[in-house]
Amino acid sequence: MELPDGRKVRVSAYPDGSIRFRVDGLPYVLTEAYLSGNPENDKAILKISPGKQGSSAAYNYAEELGKSNSS
């Protein structure tokens, strides 16, 4: 899947039931994770943000974004 800014997200499913997410444009930090509960009624939700939420990755992301926009 291509995101509005051109980054790509890829999802892989494996025979053991696991799922792998691959996202272009690092760094990211995990900002939400809902992984347990009633499997019949609940869903697993993961949210990653590009270095925001007070992480030290925020500066790196903004710096790299500025470099790519000025090219």
Side-chain angles (χ1 to χ4, degrees):
M1 173 171 119
E2 189 164 330
L3 301 175
D5 64 2
R7 290 174 298 137
K8 292 183 181 176
V9 177
R10 294 169 188 84
V11 179
S12 301
Y14 296 94
D16 67 356
S18 61
I19 302 169
R20 180 179 184 216
F21 300 92
R22 181 178 172 174
V23 183
D24 296 342
L26 297 176
Y28 282 95
V29 293
L30 182 62
T31 54
E32 286 181 2
Y34 300 99
L35 302 174
S36 62
N38 182 340
E40 294 179 16
N41 297 324
D42 294 335
K43 296 169 179 54
I45 300 169
L46 299 173
K47 178 181 177 185
I48 57 174
S49 297
K52 295 181 182 175
Q53 310 301 319
S55 139
S56 62
Y59 176 77
N60 296 335
Y61 175 75
E63 183 181 28
E64 290 302 317
L65 187 60
K67 287 179 187 176
S68 66
N69 287 339
S70 64
S71 299

